[in-house]
Amino acid sequence: MGGFVGTIADELRELQERKKRTDLRLREVERKMQQLEKSSSEKTRKERNRDLIAIGALAEIAGLRGIDRGALLGGFYALRIELDNAQNFQRWKEIGDAEMFRREQARKNKIANSS
């Protein structure tokens, strides 16, 4: 009978040890998940900030700096509606792409001439 109780106690200790190891692994997995979530949200935030800075730069290139913010937002809403028209979108994209290309070429020429 004593052997049976000893076996149960040994099994209980073994189960407790396994539970401790499992709990440690679970905490480690949860910590790694939190790090991944933090990294992912930080990456998303950085991408958003980059996009906002680029939009601001485009607004400045277009000469919109200093325009009343309410008027500018209203204009953006109107532009959003106009961009749904494929012809408008394509025409404005061509104009914008041409200007960005022109600016890039001017920048490269300036760098080449300053060397």
Side-chain angles (χ1 to χ4, degrees), residues 16-31:
Q16 289 171 337
E17 285 299 315
R18 285 176 55 192
K19 181 181 181 300
K20 282 181 187 179
R21 289 190 304 267
T22 302
D23 287 345
L24 286 172
R25 283 189 297 223
L26 176 61
R27 282 195 292 277
E28 180 64 21
V29 167
E30 287 172 340
R31 187 185 63 76

Side-chain angles (χ1 to χ4, degrees), residues 34-99:
Q34 287 175 341
Q35 286 175 336
L36 287 173
E37 288 170 358
K38 181 181 177 185
S39 174
S40 176
S41 65
E42 189 173 301
K43 181 181 177 186
T44 301
R45 180 186 54 79
K46 286 181 178 182
E47 287 174 359
R48 180 178 182 274
N49 286 346
R50 236 185 333 269
D51 287 345
L52 291 174
I53 290 167
I55 290 168
L58 292 172
E60 185 168 10
I61 289 169
L64 299 175
R65 188 172 186 194
I67 301 286
D68 177 82
R69 290 181 180 187
L72 194 55
L73 181 58
F76 285 152
Y77 280 131
L79 176 62
R80 181 69 209 121
I81 292 167
E82 290 296 317
L83 286 172
D84 285 338
N85 177 304
Q87 289 176 333
N88 286 345
F89 179 89
Q90 189 58 41
R91 185 175 75 245
W92 292 342
K93 179 173 175 20
E94 289 170 5
I95 292 169
D97 285 346
E99 177 60 17

